[in-house]
Amino acid sequence: MPIYEGATSAEAITTGLTALGISKDEAVIEVIEEAKKGFLGMGRKNARVSIEPSVTEEISEAVSETVEDVLVGEEQTPVVELDVPATENVSLEQPAEQTKIPDIADVLSDLDDEAALTQLALYLTNITNELNAPALVKMERENGLIIFHLDTKKQGILIGKHGKMLNALQYLAQVFIHRVAKNKLSVVVNVGDYRQKRQAILQRLAERTAEKVKRTGRPVFLEPMPAFERKQIHSALSHDDSVKTHSEGDEPYRYLVVEPNKKYY
């Protein structure tokens, strides 16, 4: 839970909201400790508050509906205003005023890589607009992955509590690209430096989980996570012969199981 400090609770709240890039209406705020003036400068303490982005019911419904639309192939034709720049190093060859993303099942299929990535950039732009967190979508290639960075002033909304909103966007992006691209492409959706921080968290999670499995001799079932995050944990534990990993469940709720390697027990 993020904690922010300030000379007053109002100042601490302002600091936290600025850091998260959200407004007061988009946050869950708890005052942990009020400021103390102390005596003659001694014993003075700052106010401390916890702030987390709130994923509103409207946003949750928007993502749920979009997931359902993609899965059944019945998505309506959304409109993307191109005065919000959509991509970097992606060619946009649509009319300048307004661009429509055609129906997935009908038109967007068997596209070459660049065309598919262009459409995904427009798709993500449209979703961020619908979530009231418009983002500039920038694309880069790194280690065999295609990363879409969502540059927005409202990072908290697009990340969501414990990264749930970002994982929903990740799922939508992967389903979309699998539907429209001729070739199999792996894409990652990122906001700010969340994925970098998340990678460090996953490394620690892998190490702690392996220790628990070795200590108890029992399997551990991790929370559902995107495929590329499961691969990170697979990779982190691949050199530990005393444990083994596999995935269970269906997307987007597929999860990782870390269990003892019976050869060593």
Side-chain angles (χ1 to χ4, degrees):
M1 180 182 298
I3 306 294
Y4 302 93
E5 297 187 5
T8 64
S9 58
E11 182 179 306
I13 290 170
T14 299
T15 299
L17 294 176
T18 301
L20 293 171
I22 59 178
S23 68
K24 198 170 183 178
D25 293 336
E26 299 162 343
V28 177
I29 302 171
E30 178 184 355
V31 178
I32 298 174
E33 186 177 4
E34 292 285 0
K36 295 181 180 179
K37 293 182 179 179
F39 180 70
L40 298 177
M42 299 181 65
R44 182 180 180 279
K45 289 186 177 180
N46 283 339
R48 301 173 70 241
V49 302
S50 72
I51 303 178
E52 288 187 328
S54 63
V55 180
T56 65
E57 185 177 344
E58 180 181 352
I59 291 175
S60 298
E61 287 178 357
V63 171
S64 298
E65 288 171 2
T66 311
V67 170
E68 182 180 356
D69 287 342
V70 172
L71 289 176
V72 302
E74 295 178 354
E75 184 180 30
Q76 295 181 350
T77 304
V79 176
V80 176
E81 299 289 347
L82 289 186
D83 54 356
V84 179
T87 60
E88 179 177 273
N89 299 328
V90 177
S91 172
L92 297 178
E93 298 180 352
Q94 290 81 7
E97 323 79 47
Q98 216 175 54
T99 297
K100 291 186 177 182
I101 302 177
D103 184 276
I104 296 175
D106 249 356
V107 179
L108 298 184
S109 61
D110 291 329
L111 298 179
D112 62 40
D113 291 0
E114 292 306 314
L117 294 172
T118 296
Q119 293 298 333
L120 176 55
L122 291 168
Y123 181 64
L124 289 172
T125 300
N126 184 70
I127 291 177
T128 61
N129 286 340
E130 291 295 323
L131 295 179
N132 196 30
L136 174 66
V137 183
K138 300 179 181 179
M139 188 187 75
E140 71 170 349
R141 289 176 170 85
E142 181 181 318
N143 298 327
L145 289 176
I146 302 164
I147 304 174
F148 285 83
H149 296 281
L150 307 184
D151 187 1
T152 177
K153 293 180 180 179
K154 298 184 176 181
Q155 292 187 359
I157 291 179
L158 297 188
I159 294 173
K161 189 174 183 179
H162 304 310
K164 288 183 179 179
M165 178 62 75
L166 185 55
N167 283 344
L169 293 173
Q170 170 70 39
Y171 175 69
L172 292 176
Q174 198 64 64
V175 170
F176 184 95
I177 205 70
H178 282 172
R179 285 248 179 175
V180 306
K182 184 190 310 181
N183 301 312
K184 187 175 181 180
L185 301 173
S186 295
V187 299
V188 174
V189 179
N190 193 20
V191 175
D193 60 355
Y194 180 84
R195 291 299 185 199
Q196 293 86 331
K197 291 179 179 178
R198 178 68 172 165
Q199 186 172 8
I201 291 172
L202 290 175
Q203 180 66 37
R204 293 195 296 271
L205 175 63
E207 293 168 358
R208 289 198 305 269
T209 302
E211 289 303 318
K212 182 176 181 180
V213 169
K214 286 184 278 189
R215 186 175 66 252
T216 64
R218 296 179 179 179
V220 173
F221 301 83
L222 299 180
E223 64 181 10
M225 60 185 69
F228 74 95
E229 289 193 349
R230 298 196 304 271
K231 287 179 182 177
Q232 289 179 32
I233 295 183
H234 277 301
S235 177
L237 297 181
S238 62
H239 304 295
D240 190 339
D241 293 332
S242 59
V243 298
K244 58 183 182 178
T245 61
H246 69 275
S247 294
E248 295 183 1
D250 299 319
E251 299 289 4
Y253 308 108
R254 195 162 171 78
Y255 57 91
L256 196 70
V257 180
V258 183
E259 59 186 341
N261 189 338
K262 294 182 180 179
K263 293 182 180 178
Y264 294 87
Y265 289 87

